[in-house]
Amino acid sequence: MNDTILNCLMAINLDVNIWTARRKLTPADFGGADLPPEELASLGSKRICDPEELKIFGTLKARAVNLLDRHGVRFLGGWGIPEEKAPVLVEELDRIRDEFLAARDTFLTRYDDAVRDWIARHGEWERIIADSTVSADYVRSRMGFRWQVYRIVPPAPGDVEPVGQGLAEEVRGLGQTLFDEVAKAATEAWHKCYAGRSEVTHKVLSPLRTIHQKLAGLTFVEPRVAPVADLIGTAFANLPKRGRIQGAHLLMLQGLVALLRDPSALMEHGQRIIEGHRPSDLLDALLRQDGSMENGRIASADEPEEGEDDMPDLGDDLALDAIPHEVMSDLQPVLPNCGLW
């Protein structure tokens, strides 16, 4: 087992409980109606409070998950995070927890009114709602925001060999997990920010900066992580500091995102850099294209409006299949013969 990785890594488990405001439907709720037997069908659930009242809690949980996803890698049912980032991440989790608990207290002060309002909106079903209500104390006991940070200590060298086998496999798989997570984030960035665009603003660099930050903090999990982080950093250095990103610079970014979407290519590319290839070589290749820019540009069905602060429509998930084949052919980067493509 690679103890170096565990020495640099801390594990964090996020434990957020949110009351669902749901109760199980029972045959009695239907007043003796003829229902199918349980072996054939099961009854669902009923809401005893407006779900809109609880949306804030799901939002705060998603914020905490996103925070850990941005800086850590999934590990042992939670996240593995760099040891040096643990204090900063815990501070942010503290703030989210405080918001969660404040929202819980606010909700509970008006809980009874919220239930009465819900019943009033569904007066014809008053009985099946009222018969299933619970107390505010019960709801409080079902809502919490906690986390645990801990260090993983492997079994002693003298222990029976199979004892540490599962942990060793998890540690060995961290690199693959990290590259898979990068590929997922890059795919989302491609569809939201890059697919079908002929020019973009610097705002679309945000997902790439997040990926770069994540990789830079987790270089110790796999030797090929640092070269990929260097590649992204070199790409940033080659971009204009101001103004819209278009032409060769945009094609370079699109080629970089395409590379990040492929975990196998990323790992092989990282190995090639370790063996002596420079990140700038690949970026130079991405900047070279056949034909003029006018022929090679990707036409956008919804061109961005003028203005440095304009942001592409993040809700427009243009599928790769929607891009004409001849355009995709022009977009293909000319790479060194590294066995990547």
Side-chain angles (χ1 to χ4, degrees), residues 154-164:
D159 288 342
V160 181
E161 182 177 348
V163 170

Short mmCIF file of all heavy atoms in Angstrom, two decimals, residues 154-164:
data_model
loop_
_atom_site.label_atom_id
_atom_site.label_comp_id
_atom_site.label_asym_id
_atom_site.label_seq_id
_atom_site.Cartn_x
_atom_site.Cartn_y
_atom_site.Cartn_z
N PRO A 154 -3.32 2.63 7.83
CA PRO A 154 -3.36 1.26 7.30
C PRO A 154 -3.01 0.25 8.38
O PRO A 154 -2.41 0.58 9.41
CB PRO A 154 -2.30 1.29 6.20
CG PRO A 154 -1.36 2.36 6.60
CD PRO A 154 -2.19 3.42 7.30
N PRO A 155 -3.37 -1.01 8.17
CA PRO A 155 -3.00 -2.06 9.11
C PRO A 155 -1.49 -2.16 9.26
O PRO A 155 -0.73 -1.78 8.36
CB PRO A 155 -3.57 -3.33 8.47
CG PRO A 155 -4.65 -2.86 7.56
CD PRO A 155 -4.19 -1.52 7.05
N ALA A 156 -1.06 -2.60 10.40
CA ALA A 156 0.38 -2.76 10.65
C ALA A 156 0.96 -3.79 9.71
O ALA A 156 0.27 -4.74 9.29
CB ALA A 156 0.61 -3.17 12.10
N PRO A 157 2.24 -3.63 9.34
CA PRO A 157 2.87 -4.57 8.40
C PRO A 157 2.77 -6.03 8.83
O PRO A 157 2.73 -6.93 8.00
CB PRO A 157 4.33 -4.10 8.36
CG PRO A 157 4.27 -2.67 8.76
CD PRO A 157 3.15 -2.56 9.74
N GLY A 158 2.71 -6.28 10.12
CA GLY A 158 2.68 -7.66 10.60
C GLY A 158 1.30 -8.30 10.58
O GLY A 158 1.17 -9.49 10.86
N ASP A 159 0.25 -7.52 10.26
CA ASP A 159 -1.10 -8.08 10.23
C ASP A 159 -1.26 -9.07 9.09
O ASP A 159 -0.49 -9.08 8.12
CB ASP A 159 -2.14 -6.96 10.09
CG ASP A 159 -2.26 -6.15 11.38
OD1 ASP A 159 -1.82 -6.65 12.41
OD2 ASP A 159 -2.78 -5.03 11.31
N VAL A 160 -2.29 -9.89 9.20
CA VAL A 160 -2.57 -10.87 8.15
C VAL A 160 -2.81 -10.13 6.84
O VAL A 160 -3.52 -9.10 6.81
CB VAL A 160 -3.80 -11.72 8.52
CG1 VAL A 160 -4.09 -12.74 7.44
CG2 VAL A 160 -3.56 -12.39 9.87
N GLU A 161 -2.26 -10.61 5.74
CA GLU A 161 -2.27 -9.90 4.46
C GLU A 161 -3.66 -9.46 4.01
O GLU A 161 -3.82 -8.30 3.58
CB GLU A 161 -1.61 -10.78 3.39
CG GLU A 161 -1.53 -10.09 2.04
CD GLU A 161 -0.81 -10.94 1.03
OE1 GLU A 161 -0.19 -11.95 1.44
OE2 GLU A 161 -0.87 -10.61 -0.16
N PRO A 162 -4.70 -10.29 4.07
CA PRO A 162 -6.00 -9.85 3.55
C PRO A 162 -6.62 -8.69 4.31
O PRO A 162 -7.53 -8.04 3.80
CB PRO A 162 -6.88 -11.10 3.67
CG PRO A 162 -5.93 -12.25 3.78
CD PRO A 162 -4.74 -11.70 4.50
N VAL A 163 -6.13 -8.39 5.51
CA VAL A 163 -6.75 -7.35 6.34
C VAL A 163 -6.73 -6.00 5.63
O VAL A 163 -7.71 -5.27 5.66
CB VAL A 163 -6.03 -7.26 7.70
CG1 VAL A 163 -6.50 -6.03 8.47
CG2 VAL A 163 -6.30 -8.51 8.52
N GLY A 164 -5.64 -5.66 4.99
CA GLY A 164 -5.53 -4.35 4.35
C GLY A 164 -5.83 -4.35 2.87
O GLY A 164 -5.66 -3.32 2.21
#
